[in-house]
Amino acid sequence: MNFSELGLSESLLKAVKRSGYEEATPIQEQTIPMVLKGQDVIGQAQTGTGKTAAFGLPIIEHVDTNNPEIQALIISPTRELAIQTQEEMYRLGKDKKVKVQVVYGGADIRRQINNLKNHPQVLVGTPGRLLDHINRRTVKLAHIQTLVLDEADEMLNMGFLDDIESIIKQTPTTRQTLLFSATMPPAIKKIGVQFMSDPQQVKIKAKELTTELIDQYYVRSRDFEKFDTMTRLIDVQDPDLTIVFGRTKRRVDELSKGLIARGYNAAGIHGDLTQQRRSQIMSRFKAGKLDILVATDVAARGLDISGVTHVYNYDIPQDPDSYVHRIGRTGRAGHHGVSLTFVTPNEMDYLREIEKLTKVRMLPLKPPTQEEAFKGQLANALSEVESLISATDTNKFSAQAEELLSQHEPVELVAALLNDITKNDASATPVKITPERPLPSHKHGGNGGGHRGGGRNGGQNRGQNRGGGYRGNSNRRHGSGGYHSDSRGGNGHSSGRSSNGSGHSSRHSYSIHKKG
Ligand code: ADP
Ligand code: MG
């Protein structure tokens, strides 16, 4: 449905257009008219289906810009999501000149207090920090017309229910209450009953998992071989923006350090980093200034990043749903993506479980040899030479260049420079990654070998599918030379990708390269 049919005013339609949204998503189509009417709404739809604009557009519509008080409060579970929501609210309210602000923990509270003196009309915040401001009376809730509990299931997971209840109790009872969530556990429904009046429920059924745009590969590899294989694969595949998922915080630290040691532009994020550091890394990655982001599932959850061409699962996820969630970071907005999952020999059952869920067979990939990686390196170096030439003012260096040429053979000179821009082979910079215990074998249940499933990855798994969903937006990194993955071995992967039941017998060529 077109946004113009939803009863929004001109300035909002302009903002929608500027955001690049062409059609309303199902949750937007159904909830926007209700929220505009002032009803309480419970909206359930998968992650990535545009729930922010579903409540954001009508909220902006209702804001009275002559009123300096906070009129809408949006509670978000994490700092990252709060920031993302604030950015979207700002974008939607820009034409109308609505003031939007965000508060979250781990950041300087005095600066936030100062900013609050500018009288935001829409405030986004995480529960703890909001309560802090409310107690300090630097946030006043007396004029709240709309209260949003966003990503309510995450807030439940993070143990924020009590905080949320005490915030709700301090808002006017005349308020409109909106609750948005990907899933609806009973405790969340209870909030609806307790704090909402005659809530309208909208539930958008989860779509089929949309992974058609992602070429999914796996590499069978023993744990200690994974890192060298991965860097060689990166050399061969020459990804644009990459996310590497590791199972634990230690893994993330070690992987990002190892990648940096080998000359890659990488950084890691996980829950132990300061908020400042995480935001810094995220904005570098979003701006394309960082090539490889290493992350735990938790740290990457819910973040909307476009332009990711490759996802490497350094560790296969234990839970098939989190696999879908992870690889859903690529193949967005109609662009092709590549995912690659490392599997140790005794984790093959997990691979099969994932394939059962996605109904797509992953194609086996042979680890590249040292020579193949070097060829990939050289190909990258050659294209770098092209751009170096076009970025160089030849006149500035011509005298020295002539002099060098008179002293050395041209081949010698070029080889030396190529050597400099080509990375060393993996084996030249040894990197040791601490072994992780492999996942418990499915077949033996809990007995053989004393493994126990569950509990080991610190609550990173969710029982619910939050993957798939709407792939919209992204106003960056599009257009220039569409990304393609391709198989050079004549062993076209398209057949194996779309059908379930073929492709496993032959080892697949790893040549996945960029065109254009
Ligand atoms: P959710 O809260 O459901 O997980 P978001 O609100 O974060 O989803 O939206 C996911 C992405 O989709 C964002 O990049 C957002 O800008 C984009 N988006 C939202 N609505 C639309 C739309 N109607 N058309 C295209 N993209 C959209
Ligand atoms: Mg959301």
Side-chain angles (χ1 to χ4, degrees), residues 3 21 23 28 46-52 151 304 470 472-473:
F3 277 100
Y21 304 168
E23 291 212 320
Q28 292 167 350
Q46 267 177 298
T47 298
T49 52
K51 295 192 288 294
T52 315
E151 311 285 352
D304 179 52
Y470 195 84
N473 187 43

Side-chain angles (χ1 to χ4, degrees), residues 1 3 16 19-28 45-55 57 81 84-85 88 91 150-151 180-182 302-306 332 466 470-475:
M1 190 189 269
F3 277 100
V16 163
S19 301
Y21 304 168
E22 276 160 21
E23 291 212 320
T25 65
I27 188 81
Q28 292 167 350
Q46 267 177 298
T47 298
T49 52
K51 295 192 288 294
T52 315
F55 60 77
L57 284 165
L81 287 169
Q84 212 162 277
T85 301
E88 179 144 6
R91 190 152 36 90
D150 192 20
E151 311 285 352
F180 283 84
S181 193
L303 293 178
D304 179 52
I305 308 156
S306 49
R332 295 190 145 198
R466 301 170 64 91
Y470 195 84
R471 300 322 183 195
N473 187 43
S474 95
N475 22 27

Side-chain angles (χ1 to χ4, degrees), residues 17-297:
K17 208 168 161 207
R18 190 151 30 77
S19 301
Y21 304 168
E22 276 160 21
E23 291 212 320
T25 65
I27 188 81
Q28 292 167 350
E29 188 180 316
Q30 295 198 33
T31 57
I32 288 176
M34 294 174 180
V35 182
L36 278 175
K37 266 192 262 170
Q39 292 176 304
D40 282 7
V41 176
I42 297 180
Q44 180 185 355
Q46 267 177 298
T47 298
T49 52
K51 295 192 288 294
T52 315
F55 60 77
L57 284 165
I59 284 178
I60 298 292
E61 187 76 65
H62 283 157
V63 166
D64 172 4
T65 46
N66 296 319
N67 177 354
E69 306 289 345
I70 301 173
Q71 298 159 47
L73 177 66
I74 301 161
I75 311 181
S76 270
T78 66
R79 302 168 279 201
E80 280 81 4
L81 287 169
I83 292 169
Q84 212 162 277
T85 301
Q86 187 261 344
E87 284 169 354
E88 179 144 6
M89 295 301 289
Y90 171 78
R91 190 152 36 90
L92 297 176
K94 205 172 152 201
D95 296 286
K96 197 175 162 179
K97 300 201 167 62
V98 174
K99 290 199 257 178
V100 184
Q101 209 171 307
V102 62
V103 295
Y104 46 79
D108 184 7
I109 195 158
R110 275 160 308 174
R111 176 123 43 103
Q112 289 176 356
I113 292 171
N114 250 332
N115 291 339
L116 286 165
K117 290 182 185 146
N118 290 328
H119 294 289
Q121 288 138 336
V122 175
L123 182 65
V124 187
T126 53
R129 183 53 64 98
L130 273 173
L131 272 179
D132 202 345
H133 280 290
I134 293 167
N135 293 336
R136 288 167 187 252
R137 303 192 181 282
T138 45
V139 163
K140 296 196 187 74
L141 302 181
H143 299 268
I144 296 290
Q145 286 163 2
T146 305
L147 173 72
V148 185
L149 310 175
D150 192 20
E151 311 285 352
D153 54 351
E154 288 300 342
M155 297 212 263
L156 176 72
N157 287 345
M158 299 183 71
F160 284 145
L161 271 198
D162 292 347
D163 286 355
I164 292 167
E165 290 190 5
S166 46
I167 298 173
I168 300 178
K169 284 180 185 148
Q170 302 189 49
T171 58
T173 50
T174 52
R175 66 168 193 269
Q176 175 184 35
T177 312
L178 309 174
L179 188 154
F180 283 84
S181 193
T183 63
M184 229 22 98
I188 299 295
K189 283 211 188 97
K190 219 178 101 205
I191 297 191
V193 175
Q194 240 183 310
F195 295 103
M196 299 172 85
S197 60
D198 186 23
Q200 308 295 303
Q201 299 212 25
V202 174
K203 179 176 174 178
I204 307 296
K205 260 187 67 185
K207 263 216 244 92
E208 281 289 291
L209 302 169
T210 49
T211 50
E212 307 99 63
L213 288 172
I214 306 167
D215 295 336
Q216 302 176 49
Y217 300 92
Y218 75 91
V219 180
R220 223 178 124 114
S221 175
R222 281 174 297 175
D223 199 64
F224 71 92
E225 295 167 328
K226 286 186 196 172
F227 193 76
D228 289 353
T229 303
M230 181 168 76
T231 58
R232 286 186 181 144
L233 276 165
I234 294 173
D235 292 343
V236 171
Q237 298 188 334
D238 187 25
D240 210 350
L241 276 197
T242 304
I243 303 183
V244 175
F245 281 100
R247 197 174 285 152
T248 61
K249 292 171 189 168
R250 178 179 65 187
R251 271 263 144 120
V252 166
D253 278 336
E254 293 184 352
L255 292 175
S256 50
K257 282 186 190 131
L259 285 166
I260 292 164
R262 287 200 179 157
Y264 300 92
N265 179 12
I269 56 164
H270 55 63
D272 285 355
L273 299 181
T274 64
Q275 165 55 21
Q276 200 192 6
R277 182 88 187 105
R278 282 160 78 177
S279 324
Q280 207 181 24
I281 293 172
M282 284 312 302
S283 54
R284 271 171 61 212
F285 189 64
K286 285 187 179 182
K289 289 179 189 149
L290 180 71
D291 298 331
I292 304 176
L293 179 74
V294 190
T296 55
D297 290 270

Side-chain angles (χ1 to χ4, degrees), residues 435-468:
E436 289 277 326
R437 250 192 328 177
L439 294 176
S441 162
H442 274 337
K443 287 201 188 88
H444 301 104
N447 330 334
H451 292 307
R452 282 184 43 120
R456 267 197 304 112
N457 41 359
Q460 292 189 9
N461 293 330
R462 315 174 35 83
Q464 312 280 359
N465 169 31
R466 301 170 64 91

Side-chain angles (χ1 to χ4, degrees), residues 379-393:
N380 299 343
L382 292 182
S383 64
E384 201 176 325
V385 167
E386 290 300 324
S387 55
L388 285 173
I389 291 176
S390 55
T392 301
D393 174 5

